[in-house]
Amino acid sequence: MKHLFKAQLNWTSKQSPSEELKKFYSKNHQIKIEGKPVLDVSAAKAFKGDPSLYNPEDLLLSSLVSCHMMSYLYVCSQNAIEVLEYSDNAEATLEVSPDGSGRFVEVRLYPKVKISNPDQIELALDLHFKANQLCFIANSCNFPVLHEASCEND
């Protein structure tokens, strides 16, 4: 089974025709996905972007965090674990080469879960591995997605 996702990107130069070509173009642009609000995006501040806007690195990390949580909630439901709360303070490490290319080398997720049954804490922690195996985004990455999970009961 295949699913097709579409996104439209729009960028326009903000330079007036009389200006000399600057060394750096504006990185600000919009991404439109049918039926959803427009997403204003830029480069990260380190790459001369607008730090008040989302950047591709933010969005990649956000996709991983979100997909892992949804996969985790799915496997918990399959194992009759009642999840009361879920939070994460994820981190992504990007390395830039001297030639200007770069890549993510690692993402660390720090999911903190609260469940209702204290007898299921060990299983709840183990299910992060299964969630990672099911996560569409993690399965699409060429870098490790590591988990340092914690779990407590209410």
Side-chain angles (χ1 to χ4, degrees), residues 29-50:
H29 57 282
Q30 292 185 324
I31 296 178
K32 296 179 183 177
I33 298 173
E34 188 175 332
K36 299 178 183 178
V38 171
L39 187 60
D40 291 311
V41 182
S42 189
K45 182 179 178 182
F47 306 113
K48 308 208 180 339
D50 182 339

Side-chain angles (χ1 to χ4, degrees), residues 8 13 15 17 44 60-61 66 91 104 109 112 114 118 126:
Q8 176 188 13
S13 175
Q15 298 170 328
L60 179 78
L61 180 58
S66 181
E91 298 174 346
F104 281 99
L109 304 181
K112 184 177 180 180
K114 186 180 283 187
D126 290 343

Side-chain angles (χ1 to χ4, degrees), residues 2 15-16 29-31 50 52-53 88 113-114 121 144 151:
K2 291 185 180 182
Q15 298 170 328
S16 66
H29 57 282
Q30 292 185 324
I31 296 178
D50 182 339
S52 70
L53 300 178
D88 198 331
V113 180
K114 186 180 283 187
I121 288 177
C151 184

Side-chain angles (χ1 to χ4, degrees), residues 31 39-41 54-64 137:
I31 296 178
L39 187 60
D40 291 311
V41 182
Y54 291 106
N55 60 63
E57 296 81 10
D58 291 334
L59 298 173
L60 179 78
L61 180 58
S62 298
S63 294
L64 276 164
I137 307 301

Side-chain angles (χ1 to χ4, degrees), residues 4 75 111:
L4 178 65
V75 295

